[in-house]
Amino acid sequence: MNRNKKSTNEKQIKEIFEATVIPLYGDVYKYLLHLGCDCHLAENISQITMEKAWINREKLISVDYKKQWMFRVAYNEYITFLRCISKEYLYTDNDKRLDEDKSAKLTEDALEILIKNEDLKRLRKALDLLDTKYSVPIRLRYFGGKSHQEIAEILNLNYSTTRSIIARGLSKLKTIFLEMDR
């Protein structure tokens, strides 16, 4: 009898989960796209979020803030992903970043001054303070060696939007860097 009761309870939880949590998948996906994920990354993180929701289904069923909980899990997964990318570029492309041919092509702005002076620690700190909307394309462009077109494809953005974001990001990076000097 105890087994039947547990089985019935699990069925009820599954039905409630399917009715209240699964419909939030689309909202989580759109939220991740809004944060700056490309469609494939948003899909992967949405799946991870749904998996965590399923693992915590008994706790999640009893709370009224399911959507906020799922958004928080998705956001944390996205930040974890960005940290992994950041570390990858910071530790694997050191020699490429200091290549004189590449730095000669850069305009005379804060980024070029930092690279020429090999002050990468301050640059990393300034990039960390920059909004991810700007820091990710800048890292891809200058540290990852990607073209504007490649960045646009990776981030699922328009080519001209990508160029504008990078230009604005460099301007904001320069401002942050100058504020760090004070």
Side-chain angles (χ1 to χ4, degrees), residues 131-147:
D131 185 16
T132 56
K133 175 183 178 181
Y134 301 108
S135 66
V136 171
I138 289 172
R139 289 176 197 267
L140 289 171
R141 175 75 176 124
Y142 295 104
F143 302 147
K146 304 289 183 193
S147 69

Side-chain angles (χ1 to χ4, degrees), residues 8-37:
T8 305
N9 190 25
E10 185 63 33
K11 284 181 185 178
Q12 288 174 339
I13 290 173
K14 184 178 178 184
E15 288 172 4
I16 295 170
F17 183 85
E18 288 174 352
T20 59
V21 177
I22 290 180
L24 298 175
Y25 177 87
D27 293 334
V28 171
Y29 179 80
K30 289 176 188 172
Y31 173 68
L32 289 165
L33 290 175
H34 174 73
L35 287 177
C37 292

Side-chain angles (χ1 to χ4, degrees), residues 113-169:
I113 294 166
L114 287 172
I115 290 174
K116 282 183 178 179
N117 293 332
E118 297 182 15
D119 197 357
L120 296 175
K121 193 172 194 175
R122 289 177 57 205
L123 176 60
R124 288 181 194 140
K125 194 179 276 188
L127 274 169
D128 289 341
L129 294 173
L130 192 63
D131 185 16
T132 56
K133 175 183 178 181
Y134 301 108
S135 66
V136 171
I138 289 172
R139 289 176 197 267
L140 289 171
R141 175 75 176 124
Y142 295 104
F143 302 147
K146 304 289 183 193
S147 69
H148 287 102
Q149 187 63 39
E150 291 172 320
I151 295 169
E153 291 171 8
I154 290 170
L155 299 177
N156 199 24
L157 296 171
N158 190 342
Y159 174 78
S160 59
T161 304
T162 303
R163 290 189 61 182
S164 298
I165 288 173
I166 291 173
R168 279 190 221 115

Side-chain angles (χ1 to χ4, degrees), residues 17 21 24 28 31 45-61 63-77:
F17 183 85
V21 177
L24 298 175
V28 171
Y31 173 68
I45 294 177
S46 296
Q47 286 294 328
I48 292 168
T49 302
M50 293 304 287
E51 181 181 356
K52 289 187 178 191
W54 178 253
I55 291 169
N56 294 300
R57 66 187 173 274
E58 291 181 8
K59 297 175 193 170
L60 192 58
I61 296 297
V63 297
D64 294 331
Y65 50 88
K66 294 170 187 61
K67 191 172 190 176
Q68 293 90 337
W69 184 89
M70 293 180 69
F71 278 14
R72 184 39 120 193
V73 170
Y75 177 79
N76 289 342
E77 288 295 323

Side-chain angles (χ1 to χ4, degrees), residues 85-103 114-124 127 139 142-145:
I85 286 178
S86 173
K87 287 178 184 175
E88 180 181 321
Y89 288 126
L90 292 176
Y91 300 118
T92 61
D93 292 336
N94 259 348
D95 295 333
K96 292 179 186 175
R97 280 187 253 162
L98 298 177
D99 187 3
E100 288 184 26
D101 293 336
K102 192 178 266 187
S103 63
L114 287 172
I115 290 174
K116 282 183 178 179
N117 293 332
E118 297 182 15
D119 197 357
L120 296 175
K121 193 172 194 175
R122 289 177 57 205
L123 176 60
R124 288 181 194 140
L127 274 169
R139 289 176 197 267
Y142 295 104
F143 302 147

